[in-house]
């Protein structure tokens, strides 16, 4: 791996792999220039934010462009604030900035360790709110045609952990994200662990602090223990199948969706295969949250984490006839790998 660049500090799973080249990108012109350079040499190219939703399975033989396009621009109107934010800003820095400037509405999404640019891709969500609720537009650059294109909220096709950016678009980079926050703030406290907070007296800052505390208690700190948050998505199944399962497991948590389908808790399904804390080689299931896979002592490679994920996938499928879908994106030598190649 002579002259290759170590990626361990550039992915939160702390996988030790190398890339032929890593370039930090501070503006759109540099993004186009470096992307074209690699594209026309027929070399693989990957755009990365904070590396908190990827699993490297191998060395990457191409160029990684790290998005560092910065800027938080706030415009105040009578009833709303509009925020236009550079894709390379840290998401949690944005949340803290908003709270410190008395702009509420982002507090439930505190502590998510990614970049602003990646937030629309899987429509980040936590504690009762998803990005889709506040996202007004997403500006991308079509790298092939060098054109900036704006996707309105509707055009983003946001769904649970999904959007048009996830699998449909190709050769693009998100450069700015537009958020719209109402001045008529109402606390969102319907998520289980927030029920104990009192609606009438609570401030955005108190919610922000409370969520930070909950998260510190049950999500491993990426600075110490490699992980990428939830490894799998919570499965959404049809109501009939959910009721069949509920007749067998009456304590199983479920969340009814607007269209009648049911979202189940992947963490609960994994727990109920008696896998909490399970260790496979140098990979493990986190003892306080079964949906999080950890890189034990930060010594595992991506294949070991994937082997554990496959074991979980198979165990849950056997016991519940539910096929978990990974939330984490697998990256191989040449770029993204379809998870079906690993799980089927
Ligand atoms: P990366 O991992 O760098 O990239 C992810 C994908 O997006 C890659 O395919 C990459 O090529 C692509 N990409 C990144 N930036 C761009 C861009 N500008 N243009 C085009 N493509 C791009 N997620 C939640 O939804 N809710 C949570 O509560 C949550 N908690 C987490 C807790 C921990 C401890 C960790 C480690 C992760 C958590 N996540 C959570 C997952 C993760 O933080 C989010 O998915 C985040 O949005 C990923 O951002 P990133 O910048 O790290 O993306
Ligand atoms: N549960 C278990 N055992 C576990 C984990 C969860 O039984 O080990 C059950 C419990 O009943 C618990 C319920 O699942 O009450 C929900 O658990 P939790 O609040 O921890 O949330 P989650 O569904 O496991 C989702 C997101 C997280 C997000 C939290 C909070 C997904 C895939 N994950 O996790 O997002 O932070 O809700 O809103 O939707 C991420 O995407 O990386 C991520 C961390």
């Amino acid at each position: 791996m002579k002259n290759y660049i170590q990626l361990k500090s550039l992915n939160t799973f702390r996988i030790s792999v190398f890339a032929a080249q890593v370039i930090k990108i501070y503006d759109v012109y540099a993004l186009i220039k470096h992307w074209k350079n690699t594209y026309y040499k027929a070399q693989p190219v990957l755009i990365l934010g904070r590396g908190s939703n990827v699993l490297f399975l191998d060395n990457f033989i191409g160029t990684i462009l790290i998005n560092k396009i910065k800027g938080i621009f706030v415009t105040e109107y009578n009833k709303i604030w509009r925020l236009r934010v550079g894709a390379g800003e840290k998401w949690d820095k944005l949340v803290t900035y908003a709270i410190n400037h008395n702009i509420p509405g982002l507090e439930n999404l505190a502590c998510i360790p990614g970049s602003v640019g990646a937030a629309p891709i899987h429509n980040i969500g936590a504690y009762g709110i998803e990005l889709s609720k506040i996202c007004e537009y997403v500006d991308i650059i079509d790298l092939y045609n060098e054109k900036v294109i704006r996707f309105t909220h509707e055009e983003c096709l946001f769904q649970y952990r999904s959007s048009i950016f996830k699998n449909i678009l190709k050769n693009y980079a998100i450069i700015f994200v537009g958020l719209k926050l109402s001045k008529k703030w109402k606390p969102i406290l319907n998520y289980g662990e927030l029920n104990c907070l009192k609606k009438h007296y609570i401030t955005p800052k108190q919610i922000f602090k409370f969520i930070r505390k909950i998260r510190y208690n049950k999500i491993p700190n990426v600075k110490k223990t490699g992980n990428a948050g939830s490894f799998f998505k919570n499965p959404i199944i049809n109501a009939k199948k959910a009721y069949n399962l509920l007749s067998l497991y009456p304590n199983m948590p479920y969340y009814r969706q607007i269209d009648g389908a049911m979202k189940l808790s992947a963490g609960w399904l994994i727990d109920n295969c008696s896998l909490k804390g399970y260790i496979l080689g140098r990979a493990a299931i986190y003892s306080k949250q079964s949906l999080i896979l950890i890189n034990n002592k930060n010594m595992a490679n991506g294949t070991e984490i994937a082997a554990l994920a496959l074991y979980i996938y198979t165990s849950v499928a056997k016991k519940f006839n539910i096929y978990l879908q990974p939330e984490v994106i697998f990256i191989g030598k040449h770029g993204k790998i379809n998870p079906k190649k690993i799980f089927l």
Side-chain angles (χ1 to χ4, degrees), residues 135-138 150-158:
C135 179
E136 191 173 31
Y137 65 83
V138 175
R150 173 159 298 183
F151 283 76
T152 61
H153 176 275
E154 287 70 28
E155 289 167 341
C156 291
L157 304 181
F158 288 123

Side-chain angles (χ1 to χ4, degrees), residues 122 125-127 160-161 191 193 215 218-219 228-230 232-234 253 255 265 267-268 271 276 288-291 327:
H122 87 193
Y127 297 96
Y160 166 67
R161 293 299 188 268
Y191 198 84
E193 285 157 295
R215 294 186 64 115
K218 73 170 180 195
I219 301 183
S230 302
F232 295 98
K233 296 183 209 175
N234 284 325
Y255 313 90
S265 152
W268 185 92
D271 270 2
K276 198 171 215 118
K288 295 182 191 169
Q289 226 292 2
S290 296
L291 201 41
E327 176 183 300

Side-chain angles (χ1 to χ4, degrees), residues 12 46-54 67 87 111-115 117-119 121-126 161 172-175 215 219-220 222 227-230 327 329 331 336:
T12 61
L46 177 72
I47 296 164
L48 219 53
R50 314 279 312 163
S52 65
N53 206 34
V54 288
N67 192 325
C111 276
I112 299 178
S115 61
I121 297 176
H122 87 193
N123 182 20
I124 55 166
R161 293 299 188 268
Y172 77 95
I174 292 176
I175 49 175
R215 294 186 64 115
I219 301 183
V222 288
N227 77 93
S230 302
E327 176 183 300
I329 294 158
I331 312 280
K336 285 184 205 170

Side-chain angles (χ1 to χ4, degrees), residues 30-176:
L31 189 56
I32 296 170
K33 184 180 120 191
H34 291 293
W35 187 83
K36 289 216 147 165
N37 258 343
T38 47
Y39 186 81
Y40 287 121
K41 284 184 204 152
Q43 288 169 352
V45 54
L46 177 72
I47 296 164
L48 219 53
R50 314 279 312 163
S52 65
N53 206 34
V54 288
L55 177 66
F56 282 98
L57 296 176
D58 209 332
N59 296 315
F60 181 70
I61 61 163
T63 299
I64 294 187
L65 304 178
I66 311 252
N67 192 325
K68 296 271 176 193
I69 298 173
K70 294 288 169 71
I72 301 179
F73 308 100
V74 179
T75 319
E76 186 169 1
Y77 298 85
N78 275 349
K79 295 187 177 164
I80 56 162
W81 286 280
R82 285 204 157 93
L83 276 61
R84 175 173 169 77
V85 191
E89 292 286 357
K90 290 182 191 171
W91 175 264
D92 193 43
K93 184 186 145 198
L94 170 68
V95 177
T96 309
Y97 172 96
I99 288 293
N100 290 341
H101 286 78
N102 296 319
I103 303 173
L106 298 180
E107 54 283 345
N108 292 51
L109 295 172
C111 276
I112 299 178
S115 61
V116 167
I121 297 176
H122 87 193
N123 182 20
I124 55 166
Y127 297 96
I129 171 174
E130 289 182 342
L131 180 87
S132 56
K133 191 166 185 289
I134 47 172
C135 179
E136 191 173 31
Y137 65 83
V138 175
D139 283 349
I140 67 151
I141 176 115
D142 176 332
L143 291 159
Y144 196 76
N145 296 312
E146 300 183 24
K147 274 198 186 131
V148 175
I149 304 170
R150 173 159 298 183
F151 283 76
T152 61
H153 176 275
E154 287 70 28
E155 289 167 341
C156 291
L157 304 181
F158 288 123
Q159 284 178 33
Y160 166 67
R161 293 299 188 268
S162 175
S163 72
I164 193 164
F165 311 108
K166 185 107 191 199
N167 291 317
I168 303 172
L169 290 191
K170 298 271 177 290
N171 300 332
Y172 77 95
I174 292 176
I175 49 175
F176 278 94

Side-chain angles (χ1 to χ4, degrees), residues 251-278:
N251 297 330
M252 179 180 77
Y254 63 94
Y255 313 90
R256 206 180 301 274
Q257 306 297 290
I258 303 169
D259 62 359
M262 302 278 218
K263 193 199 272 179
L264 306 184
S265 152
W268 185 92
L269 296 171
I270 297 167
D271 270 2
N272 282 272
C273 292
S274 305
L275 287 175
K276 198 171 215 118
Y278 184 82

